Amino acid sequence: MDEEAVVKFVETYLKKKGFKQAELAFHEEIQQQNNSNNAVNIHSDPDLSTLLHSLSQPEDSPARYQDEYSKLRTWAYSSLDLYKHELLRVLYPVFVHCYMDIVAKGHIQDARNFFNSFHEDHDTMHSRDLQKLEGVLSPYHLEEMEFAHTLRQSKVNIKICQYSEELMMQYLRKSKSTIILGIVNEHINFQVSPGQPISISDDPDAVTLIGSSQDAANQINKKEIHWGLLEDSLEERFEKTGVFLSDSEKTEGETKEGDMDENKKRSMDGGKQASIKKSKKDKAASATAKAVRLEANTVPAAPRVKPELPLPVMQAEVEQSILEDLRNRVQLSSATLPSVSFYTFINTHNSLNCSSISHDGSLVAGGFSDSSLKVWDMAKLGQQAGNSILQDENDAAPSEHVSGPNSGKRSYTLFQGHSGPVHSASFSPLGDFVLSSSADTTVRLWSTELNANLVCYKGHNYPVWDVQFSPMGHYFASASHDRTARIWSVDRIQPLRIMAGHLSDVDCVQWHANCNYIATGSSDKTVRLWDVQSGECVRIFIGHRSMILSLAMSPDGRYMASGDEDGTIMMWDLSSGRCISPLMGHHSCVWSLAFSRESSLLASGSADCTVKLWDVTTSTKPAKKEENKSGNTHRMRLLKTLPTKSTPVSTLRFSRRNLLFAAGALSKSQ
């Protein structure tokens, strides 16, 4: 019996019957071969002697885990640079499962020694997961801790080229790493691509947790969804009237020309030159605006769909207000970036948990750890404090302590009713209502006109992390620690739908533009899209390496953006469920995302005290053939980074006129 036959025999039994049975069967086979004429002298073959010595060690020996992982690590780091980055991807899931296997066998001190010896290799990419893993200190934790249980029940998807996989398996066979082979077979799924490695290491979905059934996720993503915009909407009616921004631009241009004529009459010499320069500048601006409109017109129009939920009737004066905003909307593009109005909270003493801005920027809300919700009216605040509200940063600063002629009066409206920290707030489209969610498991509806609590919604069993009004109002969605999202209407105290399926907390929720779908981001590192009418999951988006903290839907209904705890943003195509482009640039948690009104730009706000503007139009164009061949799918273009002095950005919102509002609490520790 040759060496290769022995190794294949061991591998087969490890896969099918487990270590104990494989060991017994192996010794029976050796005994039979020794009794035959073709028996091989085991002790004369050093490789077979090593294999037998390894198999003779106790199955639950922590030393075998330490030895096999250490050898795999040394081999991977000494590999050729061309393949090293792919081979190193295998180390993290192997490290995790080796540690948990040692804990499961009850060798707690040996598990701690193993963790301390090798965890530094993975701190850069997986620091938060390692902090959770370090808390797994007994077999009981493996069953009861959500994080550990998810890892044990799920597989890890690893992208690797065919040659790298062959190198890996060849090494494991030759080194007799039976424990590592078992972990690879049970917990790792290789996505093998033909040929050589494609890129170095910036692919965010190179290593992903895929859950217990990747086939089920693939089947879900084949479901048909109607991602288009609502038919007979105000935007559609506005477009059919043929009234565009160019009309207002023309009016402004005529006013400017009139002013220029007046200046010419007042000044004969210098005035002529200034007017000529101004005229050239106006013509250049007009040409840029035309180019922007042509670029927007090249994008095919979104299909129109019917609403699946009965929508509220909009009042006539509200329609007029929205139409007025549409007429005065500024067309944004990579050449025309938005103006930004930043509201800074000061004197919050680190108690601000969330913030929200109304659609027109006139109201700013903050949720606090003392269970209170506070709403600032920016118009009244400006009248009371004059210019003194511009205290820190270069932007308006809603504050609990405003100096001015009326500083003795409270500068905000205080809403009290929750019995736990307020984690989220959301204004209705008209700003007449605001929702708040709390650790007390409830959602409350407040009237900004009556300054009173109207309804308390009870249904979740654990803290509610997020709540969001639908684009049309009346309906809202909530996300909770109980792993569910729920759909509500303001006139009913019980939820209309319950969306269950995430493996961990649902941390954020966002409505689709047509109100027929909601998206949920979870600590299980996935985003799901749900049909509001049926309550079914119609898409699962896999690719993030940490918990999802923010979501945004493009106003044209085509795309979704998601931001995670590590600072990564991913752009998704809703129709196919595929990631279009990962956005790399932030160095900390991405707390807020917002699309411009024509879906040409994406704004992201982060704990790294920056707002970044991304070019969506360029990123979503089909890649050229040459780029596809080279494997270059990173087409996302960062247009501009707007740093604050020392304020993490917690909230972003584009108004209907495309003015970007942002808010955050001043952090003196920065």
Side-chain angles (χ1 to χ4, degrees):
M1 184 175 180
D2 59 10
E3 178 186 351
E4 185 176 359
V6 172
V7 174
K8 288 185 177 179
F9 173 80
V10 173
E11 288 183 12
T12 302
Y13 271 87
L14 280 174
K15 293 179 182 179
K16 294 183 178 180
K17 297 186 178 181
F19 180 82
K20 278 286 187 185
Q21 292 172 311
E23 183 181 4
L24 293 174
F26 177 83
H27 285 293
E28 290 177 3
E29 181 72 15
I30 294 299
Q31 185 65 35
Q32 293 176 5
Q33 293 294 332
N34 282 334
N35 294 333
S36 66
N37 295 330
N38 296 326
V40 63
N41 186 353
I42 298 295
H43 299 285
S44 65
D45 191 328
D47 289 335
L48 290 180
S49 297
T50 301
L51 176 61
L52 277 180
H53 176 71
S54 174
L55 289 174
S56 65
Q57 292 186 25
E59 179 189 0
D60 57 355
S61 170
R64 291 190 60 188
Y65 285 90
Q66 181 105 3
D67 181 61
E68 290 191 15
Y69 180 81
S70 178
K71 290 179 179 178
L72 174 66
R73 177 181 177 274
T74 302
W75 173 79
Y77 275 102
S78 62
S79 301
L80 292 175
D81 291 341
L82 180 63
Y83 306 103
K84 181 188 295 185
H85 70 278
E86 288 196 336
L87 298 175
L88 290 177
R89 293 172 183 171
V90 182
L91 290 182
Y92 177 67
V94 170
F95 166 79
V96 168
H97 286 286
C98 282
Y99 174 78
M100 291 193 294
D101 283 352
I102 298 174
V103 171
K105 300 177 190 304
H107 303 287
I108 306 304
Q109 187 56 47
D110 292 310
R112 299 302 308 148
N113 293 337
F114 178 84
F115 184 91
N116 293 331
S117 298
F118 303 112
H119 77 90
E120 291 182 357
D121 294 341
H122 314 291
D123 277 344
T124 302
M125 296 297 298
H126 307 280
S127 59
R128 291 180 176 85
D129 285 351
L130 290 177
Q131 290 173 5
K132 299 175 184 177
L133 188 66
E134 196 173 8
V136 179
L137 299 173
S138 70
Y140 173 78
H141 290 164
L142 292 175
E143 295 298 327
E144 296 300 322
M145 286 184 65
E146 178 185 312
F147 174 73
H149 184 72
T150 300
L151 289 177
R152 299 278 280 184
Q153 298 298 319
S154 304
K155 279 194 172 186
V156 176
N157 208 16
I158 298 180
K159 288 184 177 181
I160 196 171
C161 78
Q162 184 175 356
Y163 190 69
S164 295
E165 187 206 25
E166 291 175 356
L167 286 175
M168 173 67 65
M169 301 310 296
Q170 185 179 8
Y171 163 78
L172 293 177
R173 287 195 294 267
K174 286 188 175 181
S175 63
K176 320 301 185 297
S177 301
T178 54
I179 289 178
I180 307 297
L181 270 173
I183 290 174
V184 169
N185 290 330
E186 186 176 356
H187 297 290
I188 297 178
N189 177 51
F190 288 121
Q191 266 193 338
V192 182
S193 59
Q196 299 295 318
I198 293 177
S199 61
I200 294 298
S201 59
D202 287 337
D203 189 355
D205 58 348
V207 181
T208 55
L209 190 69
I210 61 175
S212 57
S213 177
Q214 178 67 23
D215 294 336
N218 292 336
Q219 287 298 117
I220 289 175
N221 288 347
K222 291 180 181 178
K223 293 182 179 180
E224 182 182 4
I225 65 170
H226 304 288
W227 55 267
L229 301 179
L230 287 177
E231 61 181 21
D232 197 33
S233 63
L234 275 179
E235 287 80 2
E236 183 180 17
R237 278 182 271 167
F238 177 73
E239 291 174 2
K240 289 180 179 179
T241 60
V243 181
F244 296 97
L245 179 66
S246 56
D247 292 340
S248 60
E249 286 178 345
K250 192 181 298 182
T251 303
E252 293 176 3
E254 292 173 356
T255 303
K256 291 179 180 179
E257 289 174 1
D259 293 339
M260 285 172 21
D261 290 338
E262 187 176 350
N263 290 334
K264 285 181 182 179
K265 294 178 182 179
R266 294 180 180 178
S267 170
M268 295 299 293
D269 299 327
K272 289 182 179 180
Q273 295 178 358
S275 299
I276 292 172
K277 290 181 180 179
K278 190 172 184 181
S279 178
K280 290 181 178 179
K281 187 176 180 181
D282 289 342
K283 289 181 180 179
S286 178
T288 303
K290 289 181 180 178
V292 171
R293 289 194 295 273
L294 287 174
E295 181 181 352
N297 291 334
T298 59
V299 180
R304 301 292 168 172
V305 299
K306 295 182 179 180
E308 296 182 1
L309 294 176
L311 299 179
V313 178
M314 190 173 294
Q315 299 176 1
E317 57 270 20
V318 175
E319 286 190 3
Q320 290 301 319
S321 175
I322 295 176
L323 289 173
E324 183 66 22
D325 289 336
L326 294 177
R327 292 189 189 96
N328 291 280
R329 176 180 296 172
V330 178
Q331 294 289 338
L332 301 178
S333 70
S334 58
T336 310
L337 299 182
S339 299
V340 184
S341 177
F342 199 104
Y343 300 140
T344 303
F345 292 83
I346 63 175
N347 302 322
T348 60
H349 309 292
N350 296 323
S351 65
L352 181 73
N353 293 329
C354 64
S355 59
S356 181
I357 304 172
S358 63
H359 286 258
D360 59 0
S362 62
L363 299 175
V364 179
F368 293 84
S369 297
D370 62 1
S371 307
S372 67
L373 176 72
K374 300 171 183 177
V375 176
W376 286 264
D377 187 320
M378 300 310 298
K380 294 180 180 179
L381 188 64
Q383 292 173 2
Q384 289 180 6
N387 294 327
S388 63
I389 61 172
L390 301 175
Q391 296 180 26
D392 217 276
E393 311 266 326
N394 293 320
D395 304 293
S399 168
E400 294 187 35
H401 305 287
V402 179
S403 60
N406 297 315
S407 58
K409 297 181 180 180
R410 181 184 293 166
S411 62
Y412 55 84
T413 301
L414 176 64
F415 295 99
Q416 290 181 311
H418 285 294
S419 58
V422 177
H423 291 298
S424 179
S426 175
F427 283 100
S428 64
L430 304 180
D432 49 350
F433 299 104
V434 60
L435 286 165
S436 61
S437 65
S438 169
D440 64 10
T441 75
T442 68
V443 175
R444 289 180 179 266
L445 178 69
W446 312 83
S447 170
T448 57
E449 296 177 352
L450 302 176
N451 296 334
N453 181 217
L454 303 180
V455 190
C456 179
Y457 303 95
K458 299 178 180 179
H460 288 288
N461 301 317
Y462 291 94
V464 184
W465 301 131
D466 194 17
V467 63
Q468 292 292 329
F469 258 115
S470 76
M472 301 296 291
H474 188 69
Y475 300 100
F476 63 92
S478 58
S480 172
H481 175 61
D482 63 14
R483 308 182 189 180
T484 69
R486 304 184 185 220
I487 303 294
W488 312 71
S489 65
V490 294
D491 57 352
R492 296 190 180 184
I493 61 173
Q494 296 297 327
L496 305 177
R497 295 285 184 275
I498 298 177
M499 282 72 172
H502 279 293
L503 304 177
S504 186
D505 296 34
V506 183
D507 298 300
C508 52
V509 63
Q510 191 59 251
W511 286 82
H512 190 271
N514 62 22
C515 302
N516 292 335
Y517 304 95
I518 64 165
T520 54
S522 171
S523 295
D524 66 11
K525 305 177 185 178
T526 68
V527 180
R528 290 175 180 250
L529 189 70
W530 307 83
D531 187 306
V532 171
Q533 181 62 34
S534 64
E536 293 182 354
C537 179
V538 294
R539 289 288 184 275
I540 300 179
F541 303 95
I542 299 174
H544 283 282
R545 295 178 178 177
S546 60
M547 62 187 294
I548 288 85
L549 299 178
S550 55
L551 295 169
M553 292 283 190
S554 64
D556 63 7
R558 298 172 187 271
Y559 308 113
M560 177 182 67
S562 54
D564 65 23
E565 193 177 21
D566 292 334
T568 301
I569 305 168
M570 304 190 80
M571 181 82 73
W572 307 93
D573 185 328
L574 293 181
S575 60
S576 65
R578 296 179 180 177
C579 177
I580 298 174
S581 178
L583 324 185
M584 306 297 186
H586 285 295
H587 306 297
S588 188
C589 308
V590 179
W591 282 340
S592 185
L593 295 166
F595 280 93
S596 63
R597 303 307 298 182
E598 67 286 287
S599 306
S600 61
L601 301 178
L602 175 68
S604 58
S606 169
D608 63 11
C609 300
T610 64
V611 175
K612 293 183 182 291
L613 299 174
W614 309 85
D615 183 4
V616 174
T617 305
T618 302
S619 307
T620 53
K621 287 181 180 178
K624 296 179 180 178
K625 293 182 179 180
E626 294 78 9
E627 292 173 332
N628 284 333
K629 290 180 181 179
S630 64
N632 181 19
T633 59
H634 295 244
R635 297 178 52 83
M636 203 59 175
R637 178 185 172 197
L638 176 62
L639 297 175
K640 193 170 185 179
T641 298
L642 304 171
T644 64
K645 290 180 180 177
S646 56
T647 303
V649 184
S650 61
T651 304
L652 292 171
R653 178 186 290 281
F654 275 96
S655 71
R656 294 191 185 95
R657 300 190 182 194
N658 260 339
L659 173 64
L660 179 58
F661 294 103
L666 179 66
S667 176
K668 295 183 179 180
S669 61
Q670 293 289 333

